[in-house]
């Protein structure tokens, strides 16, 4: 049997990440100060690379008063309505790279909360996307991440509810939580706002890692979707490596005679995937 290298079809940037990345890349040539509100992607290589080319990360809106005017790029995670308004009133040029799938959630939350529904966001309360979503409700929102929290939540029979999800939430877990909600409330509007990019990548990782002798997952340690891919692959393939860049794996791979599968998280740039792929094909 000879070695075979298979790159997962949807490895790397999702649609929204690509859009944010290109917005910054294109803006650099404009010759004005370029900022991103928060790190553009969950990938330290990209953020560092952009920093070296003069792009600055704004971490707090109070910084706006002391910075030279230029262009601010809002990342794909999106921002709350208050942040959005503060940014657009700041005198800076704004490029809104909020992923359209996240924007759709903002619109649902704003409309349904204005119409009187209580908002429940299924997701991680510490994730910037979720914090942004909560900030589009006109009267706050409850974030629920697991079944214990769902059990603890007390539904008011006189109120109506709208449930949305963080785009990267696990589809099955969302379904379980929705069933718990539906048992306890009659007036509940469920909007499944999970993005397929994550599910597709996970299904491919599952299938590939079942056949692989060695699996390589490329992603930043901070990226939750990359970590999830690693867990899936590791459960099917003992020899799974979680790496951030090529140098993490050079000289570490065993001699392989079967299939080497490669996948990458949604914020992993193409050039790193290509470097790893070429090394595994030619040098292992
Ligand atoms: Fe958008 Fe889905 Fe990526 S919501 S940012 S395309 S994971």
């Amino acid at each position: 049997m000879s070695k075979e290298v298979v790159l997962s079809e949807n490895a790397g940037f999702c649609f929204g990440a690509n859009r944010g990345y290109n917005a910054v890349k294109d803006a650099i040539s404009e010759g004005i100060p370029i900022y991103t509100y928060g790190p553009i992607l969950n990938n330290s290589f990209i953020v560092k690379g952009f920093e070296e080319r003069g792009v600055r990360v704004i971490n707090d809106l109070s910084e706006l008063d002391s910075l030279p005017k230029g262009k601010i790029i809002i990342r794909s995670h999106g921002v709350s309505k208050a942040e959005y308004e503060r940014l657009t009133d700041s005198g800076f040029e704004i490029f809104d790279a909020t992923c359209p799938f996240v924007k759709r959630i903002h619109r649902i939350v704003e409309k349904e909360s204005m119409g009187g529904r209580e908002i429940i966001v299924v997701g991680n309360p510490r994730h910037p996307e979720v914090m942004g979503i909560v900030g589009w409700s006109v009267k706050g929102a409850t974030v629920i991440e697991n079944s214990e929290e769902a059990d603890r939540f007390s539904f008011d029979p006189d109120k109506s509810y709208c449930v949305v999800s963080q785009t990267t939430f696990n589809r099955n877990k969302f379904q379980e939580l929705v069933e718990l909600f539906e048992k306890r409330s009659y007036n509940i509007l469920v909007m499944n706002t999970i993005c397929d990019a994550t599910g597709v990548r996970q299904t491919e990782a599952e299938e590939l890692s079942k056949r692989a002798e060695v699996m390589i997952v490329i992603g930043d340690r901070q990226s939750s979707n990359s970590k999830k891919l690693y867990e899936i692959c590791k459960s099917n393939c003992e020899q799974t490596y979680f790496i951030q860049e090529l140098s993490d794996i050079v000289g570490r791979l065993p001699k392989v005679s079967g299939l080497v599968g490669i996948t990458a998280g949604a914020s992993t740039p193409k050039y790193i995937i290509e470097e790893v792929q070429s090394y595994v094909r030619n040098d292992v």
Side-chain angles (χ1 to χ4, degrees):
M1 202 163 134
S2 61
K3 183 181 77 186
E4 187 192 351
V5 181
V6 175
L7 173 66
S8 177
E9 210 178 308
N10 285 282
F13 279 175
C14 62
F15 166 76
N18 202 29
R19 216 168 140 254
Y21 176 83
N22 285 336
V24 180
K25 206 170 66 131
D26 296 347
I28 287 174
S29 59
E30 290 176 18
I32 52 169
I34 302 298
Y35 308 94
T36 62
Y37 183 48
I40 189 71
L41 290 166
N42 239 339
N43 187 300
S44 48
F45 288 102
I46 294 181
V47 174
K48 206 164 148 266
F50 280 148
E51 263 169 13
E52 282 162 7
R53 297 171 71 191
V55 177
R56 285 181 60 177
V57 178
I58 297 174
N59 290 305
D60 194 290
L61 290 172
S62 62
E63 295 170 41
L64 293 179
D65 301 329
S66 54
L67 290 172
K69 291 280 182 282
K71 187 185 229 180
I72 302 176
I73 294 153
I74 299 176
R75 57 191 176 168
S76 59
H77 296 322
V79 292
S80 69
K81 189 172 182 183
E83 287 169 303
Y84 187 79
E85 287 174 349
R86 173 77 174 90
L87 285 165
T88 47
D89 288 346
S90 66
F92 286 75
E93 191 185 331
I94 304 297
F95 183 96
D96 186 2
T98 305
C99 178
F101 301 126
V102 177
K103 265 265 181 273
R104 176 176 166 251
I105 308 177
H106 294 171
R107 283 198 297 270
I108 294 170
V109 165
E110 188 174 35
K111 175 169 168 258
E112 296 303 331
S113 62
M114 281 168 113
R117 287 188 186 267
E118 305 294 319
I119 303 295
I120 298 176
V121 184
V122 172
N124 172 356
R126 292 163 302 282
H127 194 286
E129 179 196 318
V130 172
M131 296 195 268
I133 293 170
V134 168
W136 284 85
S137 166
V138 295
K139 51 181 177 180
T142 305
V143 182
I144 290 183
E145 194 174 17
N146 51 45
S147 49
E148 292 76 41
E149 287 172 9
D151 283 338
R152 273 205 303 272
F153 183 74
S154 63
F155 282 95
D156 181 336
D158 297 327
K159 286 184 174 164
S160 56
Y161 295 86
C162 170
V163 179
V164 294
S165 169
Q166 182 179 349
T167 54
T168 48
F169 205 76
N170 178 285
R171 208 169 272 280
N172 296 337
K173 279 197 202 152
F174 179 72
Q175 209 38 52
E176 278 169 30
L177 293 178
V178 164
E179 280 165 24
L180 289 176
F181 296 149
E182 284 177 336
K183 273 190 208 144
R184 299 173 48 217
S185 170
Y186 293 109
N187 198 340
I188 183 163
L189 172 70
V190 177
M191 307 294 280
N192 182 338
T193 49
I194 294 172
C195 166
D196 268 341
T198 316
V200 166
R201 214 173 260 103
Q202 290 177 3
T203 309
E204 284 178 3
E206 175 91 49
E207 284 164 6
L208 190 55
S209 58
K210 278 186 182 149
R211 298 189 284 129
E213 184 181 327
V214 167
M215 250 337 269
I216 301 171
V217 180
I218 316 166
D220 195 276
R221 300 242 171 255
Q222 304 303 321
S223 149
S224 57
N225 76 84
S226 302
K227 277 190 260 177
K228 183 74 200 163
L229 287 178
Y230 172 72
E231 283 161 24
I232 291 171
C233 294
K234 182 78 180 168
S235 70
N236 293 318
C237 174
E238 186 43 43
Q239 297 198 80
T240 296
Y241 295 79
F242 188 11
I243 64 166
Q244 301 201 81
E245 57 172 333
L246 177 62
S247 64
D248 291 340
I249 210 166
V250 171
R252 275 180 63 207
L253 278 187
K255 210 69 214 135
V256 191
S257 55
L259 193 151
V260 182
I262 303 173
T263 186
S267 47
T268 305
K270 209 170 162 193
Y271 79 92
I272 297 184
I273 301 174
E274 276 166 5
E275 276 174 6
V276 171
Q277 187 180 200
S278 142
Y279 171 75
V280 178
R281 277 192 203 284
N282 304 318
D283 300 312
V284 178

